[in-house]
Amino acid sequence: MPSAAALVATALVVLSFASVADAAGCRDAADSAQDLKKQGKLHEARAQLLVCAQKSCKEVIRTDCEKWLREVDEETPTIIVRVVDASGKDVLGAHVTVDDAPVALDGNPVEVDPGPRTIKARSKSGEAAEEKVLVALGEKKRVVEVRLADERPAETKETKEPKIDDSTEAPGDSNVVPLTLGVVGGVALVSFVVFQVLGRSGYSDLENGCAKTAAGCTDADIDPVKTQFIASGVSLGISVLALGAAAIVYFARKPAATALRPLRFEF
């Protein structure tokens, strides 16, 4: 049965590891947010800033992230999408996407990144239209009107099937879990090296010190060194588990199956 000192040491290592991981996550989120902001990816930058603006992050990092978060909110453009028919009347219940991402058609502003954006709309009866706009940095509540024009022959209106976008997963989503596990494994590996060096140094001191005396080394001399070796072993175990899990998750991913649509011939 492990001693009380060993249990306490293990708990301290786990808490220390969690603290190091949290601090690293805050710094990484702040750095990533700055890079994304420079690239004009304000949505993604805001998500990172929400991470490093948490109370668990150090004050100096949290203060900067809170400031950058306010700047991103001010710079993020918003648009209001209106879908109208050929006569200019509002079309309710239409399916609307901005850059292929579904948005609600409810008259409220929609946050978008600055730059060229593509708005598509399709009514319940199948009429469709597309509008391309250039959204400026900091532009707010710009009304974008998408006008539907049904130019299909009357005999095909009831037979033509509306195009449905089946994509539901962003390309980078499947990488989040293996990357997170990889970071955890890397931090644990660094902890293993640090505790191993400290433990070996302490062991050498014991050999050259109290071990050569007649009284020998006491538990008070040995316990700190033993704790460092235990912490080293725990860190190595966490590293192996995290890196192994990251590899398993990464190589087990399956690409989304592409749906095959039947060919239709109309005469």
Side-chain angles (χ1 to χ4, degrees), residues 151-238:
E151 299 176 353
R152 294 174 296 162
E155 63 271 15
T156 65
K157 287 184 179 180
E158 295 182 358
T159 59
K160 186 173 181 180
E161 296 179 357
K163 181 180 178 182
I164 301 175
D165 185 2
D166 295 328
S167 61
T168 57
E169 183 178 352
D173 289 348
S174 59
N175 293 326
V176 174
V177 173
L179 284 176
T180 302
L181 290 172
V183 171
V184 172
V187 174
L189 187 59
V190 172
S191 298
F192 161 72
V193 173
V194 172
F195 285 122
Q196 188 70 206
V197 171
L198 292 175
R200 290 181 180 276
S201 175
Y203 184 80
S204 177
D205 291 341
L206 292 178
E207 284 187 326
N208 297 326
C210 60
K212 294 183 176 181
T213 64
C217 297
T218 65
D219 289 343
D221 297 322
I222 297 173
D223 284 346
V225 177
K226 185 187 297 185
T227 298
Q228 289 166 349
F229 280 116
I230 292 174
S232 174
V234 172
S235 297
L236 180 60
I238 293 174

Side-chain angles (χ1 to χ4, degrees), residues 6 16 26 30 35-36 38 65 73 92-93 132 139 141 145 160 166-167 181 193 203 225 237 241 243 246 249 254 266:
S16 175
C26 293
D35 291 338
L36 291 169
K38 292 176 182 178
C65 288
D73 287 340
L92 304 180
K132 295 182 181 294
E139 190 175 19
K141 298 182 181 179
E145 185 178 279
K160 186 173 181 180
D166 295 328
S167 61
L181 290 172
V193 173
Y203 184 80
V225 177
L241 290 175
L243 293 176
V249 173
K254 293 182 179 180
E266 298 180 0

Side-chain angles (χ1 to χ4, degrees), residues 18-209:
S19 177
V20 170
D22 287 344
C26 293
R27 288 193 300 271
D28 291 343
D31 293 340
S32 177
Q34 287 300 289
D35 291 338
L36 291 169
K37 186 173 182 291
K38 292 176 182 178
Q39 298 171 24
K41 299 178 180 180
L42 302 185
H43 266 96
E44 297 179 37
R46 189 176 194 279
Q48 294 296 318
L49 290 172
L50 289 175
V51 173
C52 62
Q54 298 182 66
K55 293 182 178 179
S56 58
C57 295
K58 291 183 178 179
E59 183 177 0
V60 62
I61 297 177
R62 185 175 70 251
T63 301
D64 287 339
C65 288
E66 289 173 347
K67 174 188 174 184
W68 296 331
L69 183 60
R70 290 191 295 269
E71 293 176 355
V72 166
D73 287 340
E74 292 174 0
E75 294 175 358
T76 301
T78 61
I79 62 174
I80 300 174
V81 180
R82 287 190 60 193
V83 180
V84 299
D85 59 18
S87 62
K89 295 182 179 179
D90 287 324
V91 177
L92 304 180
H95 177 71
V96 178
T97 62
V98 177
D99 294 336
D100 295 331
V103 298
L105 185 64
D106 56 7
N108 289 314
V110 178
E111 292 185 347
V112 297
D113 288 331
R117 306 270 74 88
T118 300
I119 297 96
K120 298 179 182 179
R122 181 177 293 277
S123 68
K124 293 180 179 179
S125 56
E127 295 90 347
E130 179 180 306
E131 190 74 24
K132 295 182 181 294
V133 295
L134 180 64
V135 184
L137 183 71
E139 190 175 19
K140 300 292 186 181
K141 298 182 181 179
R142 174 180 174 179
V143 178
V144 178
E145 185 178 279
V146 182
R147 185 176 293 269
L148 301 176
D150 188 7
E151 299 176 353
R152 294 174 296 162
E155 63 271 15
T156 65
K157 287 184 179 180
E158 295 182 358
T159 59
K160 186 173 181 180
E161 296 179 357
K163 181 180 178 182
I164 301 175
D165 185 2
D166 295 328
S167 61
T168 57
E169 183 178 352
D173 289 348
S174 59
N175 293 326
V176 174
V177 173
L179 284 176
T180 302
L181 290 172
V183 171
V184 172
V187 174
L189 187 59
V190 172
S191 298
F192 161 72
V193 173
V194 172
F195 285 122
Q196 188 70 206
V197 171
L198 292 175
R200 290 181 180 276
S201 175
Y203 184 80
S204 177
D205 291 341
L206 292 178
E207 284 187 326
N208 297 326

